[in-house]
Amino acid sequence: MVPPSAPSHRGSVPWKGLLLAVSLITFWTPPTTTQLTVKSVPANRTAPLTVESAPANAAEGEDVLLLVHNRPENTIGFSWFKGESVESAHQIAGYEIATQQTTTGPAHSGRETLYTNGSLLFQNVRKNDTGFYTLHVIKSGLQIETVIGQFHVFEDLSKVNFTITSNNSSPVEHSDTVVLTCDSKIQDTTYLWFINNHSLPGSARLELSKDNRTLTLFHVTRNDTGPYECEVQNLVSAHRSDPLTLNVLYGPDAPTISPPDSYYLEGAALNLSCQAASNPPAQYFWFFNGELQQSTQMFFIASLAMNNSGNYTCLANNSDTGLNNHTVKTIQALEPVTKPSIQTYNITVTENDVVNLTCLTNDIGVSILWFFNQLSLPLTERMKLSQGNSTLTIKPIRREDTGDYHCMVTNPVSFNKSDTLKLVVKYNPELHSGLSAGAIAGIVIGVLAGVALIAALVYFLYLRKTGGASDHHQLSEQKPSASNNSQDHSDNPPNKLSLLNFSFTP
């Protein structure tokens, strides 16, 4: 800290000055207020005598200056006293302007320096330097003016080591309550708590004491592990404790058995692993259909047989919490599926027929899939699968359904395909004539009936024509009478001649 002016010369006090100081001490009564106080301020001086502490709050080891403002111009001397009185036993130092001499008193510790402007410097302050200091100013005419200043010295917390103590460093989850105490007895401090380097979250399970020195955790969980830190603060410094981590005992949780597969091919290796969240780590026990098999975390069978199918139980135990938990897994050994075949009545069909394809298999509990031209069969509105997908019905079948069909049977561990069935759909022109088969048959029958009718008519006309010519010849030979001729003419209709002369050319 740079002094406001050079320190005054130290030396013996002249006898006149000493007599003056003694007389002043004898007749001076110190102020009782703890505020900065001004006495006997002349009416012609507007700015009062004041003392500024720089800084007002200091850490141990720092320097503090009691800086004087507005010292009277007619000052002939001044003295500093520790406390709020001007008793000689509490004098720190004094200065006489005329002789420029400084005197030290009984309260001088060797760390104080008095400057000629009245300011007083404290170097390497200590906690017991905290308090009030009185400046006694002597002016010409033996007028006296006093002012009081003060500063506070705090402990430098960065140099203080303290720890967090716990009533239980290994609590059991959901069972125990933990009390953490910031083990610091430093006065005039504030306590703050941190968990995982963050301020404490709001929780009904966390409770602070009135002075924040103690933190209580009710019914701890595994998430309360920490680390925890306690920070101590005062007006000039702060310091955190070393972190404390709780060893929360918990578990075991429900174990997880891996891998997750439940179906295995007969003869395959079975290798199961069991894992449960637990602190400390759990002990593991394996059971098969309720019978203890082994006490390990892993369970292994080199070649799985059909009689190895059943329930496998993993039990996890934590001796520190006294808890255990278990998980059951069902394992089933399966044989590989056999090759299926496709059955149908005819592999060459006519368009618009109904076709049924059936996938035959001796395996049970299998799934059936259908493929067309090596791709998964896309079902159309003309296709229908039976329950279980064993039969594929195509109604009606079209030319585009011609191709290779095969089915596949699967179980959880194997699959097998049938041989390819080549289905041929023949083209039927009737489907493209615009008439149904019944309509075409009706037309054919109608045409044939018409031809027969015409043939019958021609034959009838032929017979009629032939018979008429014979009768005319007989009449000519008999030479009938005119009356007979007249009768014959009246008996025949007028159009008979035209009918006899009609000839049909098919």
Side-chain angles (χ1 to χ4, degrees):
M1 180 178 292
V2 179
S5 60
S8 61
H9 173 73
R10 295 186 181 183
S12 58
V13 181
W15 66 271
K16 289 183 179 179
L18 181 61
L19 289 176
L20 178 60
V22 170
S23 63
L24 291 173
I25 293 172
T26 303
F27 293 100
W28 173 247
T29 302
T32 58
T33 177
T34 60
Q35 302 296 323
L36 297 182
T37 307
V38 178
K39 296 286 186 177
S40 306
V41 180
N44 60 351
R45 199 170 103 234
T46 58
L49 175 68
T50 60
V51 173
E52 175 189 359
S53 177
N57 298 304
E60 283 186 300
E62 293 183 343
D63 294 345
V64 175
L65 177 66
L66 293 178
L67 182 61
V68 176
H69 296 285
N70 307 317
R71 198 195 71 184
E73 293 181 0
N74 60 344
T75 300
I76 62 175
F78 46 81
S79 293
W80 277 99
F81 297 86
K82 183 174 178 58
E84 299 180 76
S85 68
V86 292
E87 297 177 8
S88 59
H90 297 160
Q91 185 182 22
I92 299 173
Y95 180 71
E96 186 177 357
I97 294 176
T99 61
Q100 297 184 357
Q101 290 186 345
T102 299
T103 60
T104 59
H108 192 276
S109 67
R111 296 177 290 107
E112 297 87 2
T113 300
L114 182 61
Y115 293 97
T116 57
N117 68 346
S119 299
L120 182 63
L121 174 68
F122 293 81
Q123 294 177 302
N124 191 24
V125 293
R126 300 169 183 173
K127 288 186 67 176
N128 58 7
D129 291 331
T130 296
F132 295 95
Y133 292 86
T134 301
L135 174 61
H136 192 72
V137 178
I138 304 171
K139 299 181 290 186
S140 58
L142 297 182
Q143 294 181 355
I144 298 171
E145 191 170 347
T146 61
V147 65
I148 296 176
Q150 65 171 322
F151 61 88
H152 200 132
V153 179
F154 295 90
E155 189 169 356
D156 185 359
L157 299 178
S158 64
K159 300 177 181 179
V160 177
N161 292 322
F162 57 95
T163 59
I164 299 175
T165 59
S166 172
N167 70 324
N168 188 349
S169 59
S170 298
V172 176
E173 185 177 37
H174 305 306
S175 176
D176 291 340
T177 294
V178 174
V179 179
L180 303 179
T181 302
C182 193
D183 192 15
S184 171
K185 299 180 181 179
I186 304 171
Q187 300 297 319
D188 301 323
T189 55
T190 300
Y191 297 92
L192 296 176
W193 286 91
F194 297 87
I195 178 171
N196 296 323
N197 207 34
H198 292 87
S199 299
L200 290 181
S203 173
R205 296 188 302 104
L206 302 179
E207 182 178 275
L208 287 169
S209 59
K210 290 183 178 180
D211 60 359
N212 284 7
R213 187 165 171 255
T214 298
L215 172 64
T216 302
L217 292 80
F218 297 97
H219 308 296
V220 293
T221 71
R222 66 191 72 183
N223 297 323
D224 296 328
T225 298
Y228 293 85
E229 293 173 287
C230 170
E231 183 172 287
V232 180
Q233 299 179 345
N234 58 26
L235 293 179
V236 297
S237 61
H239 185 59
R240 286 192 186 186
S241 67
D242 291 333
L244 179 142
T245 301
L246 295 176
N247 179 33
V248 180
L249 308 179
Y250 61 85
D253 293 347
T256 299
I257 299 176
S258 58
D261 306 315
S262 296
Y263 299 95
Y264 289 82
L265 191 63
E266 184 183 19
L270 178 66
N271 193 358
L272 301 179
S273 174
C274 189
Q275 181 67 46
S278 177
N279 183 38
Q283 294 177 300
Y284 298 95
F285 303 88
W286 285 97
F287 297 80
F288 174 62
N289 291 337
E291 296 292 332
L292 178 64
Q293 301 297 303
Q294 57 192 50
S295 301
T296 58
Q297 191 171 0
M298 309 290 292
F299 186 85
F300 180 74
I301 297 177
S303 180
L304 199 64
M306 298 299 290
N307 60 4
N308 294 132
S309 297
N311 294 326
Y312 290 79
T313 302
C314 172
L315 184 142
N317 175 262
N318 185 331
S319 58
D320 285 17
T321 62
L323 302 175
N324 59 70
N325 217 325
H326 71 278
T327 296
V328 179
K329 187 176 188 64
T330 300
I331 299 296
Q332 185 174 355
L334 297 173
E335 296 177 343
V337 294
T338 57
K339 185 174 182 177
S341 62
I342 298 179
Q343 181 187 69
T344 186
Y345 291 105
N346 199 345
I347 61 174
T348 301
V349 296
T350 302
E351 195 171 23
N352 208 41
D353 284 352
V354 176
V355 174
N356 291 311
L357 303 179
T358 302
C359 188
L360 301 178
T361 177
N362 294 324
D363 298 300
I364 60 174
V366 296
S367 298
I368 298 177
L369 304 174
W370 285 92
F371 294 84
F372 175 64
N373 291 336
Q374 306 304 317
L375 298 175
S376 179
L377 176 66
L379 290 178
T380 68
E381 60 182 6
R382 297 179 295 103
M383 298 178 181
K384 182 179 179 181
L385 288 172
S386 65
Q387 186 175 5
N389 295 355
S390 60
T391 298
L392 169 64
T393 300
I394 307 175
K395 178 183 180 181
I397 199 160
R398 295 282 186 256
R399 280 184 294 169
E400 60 266 26
D401 299 325
T402 295
D404 296 340
Y405 291 80
H406 70 263
C407 66
M408 176 190 292
V409 293
T410 68
N411 66 16
V413 295
S414 64
F415 67 90
N416 213 328
K417 287 184 179 181
S418 69
D419 291 333
T420 299
L421 182 144
K422 294 183 179 295
L423 186 64
V424 177
V425 181
K426 294 193 302 181
Y427 173 70
N428 188 347
E430 294 176 2
L431 294 177
H432 303 277
S433 65
L435 297 175
S436 66
I440 293 174
I443 292 173
V444 171
I445 293 171
V447 170
L448 294 177
V451 171
L453 180 61
I454 292 173
L457 180 60
V458 170
Y459 180 71
F460 171 77
L461 293 176
Y462 173 75
L463 292 179
R464 292 281 293 177
K465 184 176 181 182
T466 304
S470 177
D471 291 340
H472 181 72
H473 179 69
Q474 292 176 359
L475 290 173
S476 298
E477 290 181 349
Q478 294 176 1
K479 294 181 181 181
S481 62
S483 60
N484 289 339
N485 288 338
S486 299
Q487 183 66 38
D488 289 339
H489 285 294
S490 61
D491 291 338
N492 291 312
N495 59 347
K496 186 175 181 180
L497 181 61
S498 62
L499 288 175
L500 291 175
N501 292 330
F502 176 78
S503 63
F504 172 75
T505 303

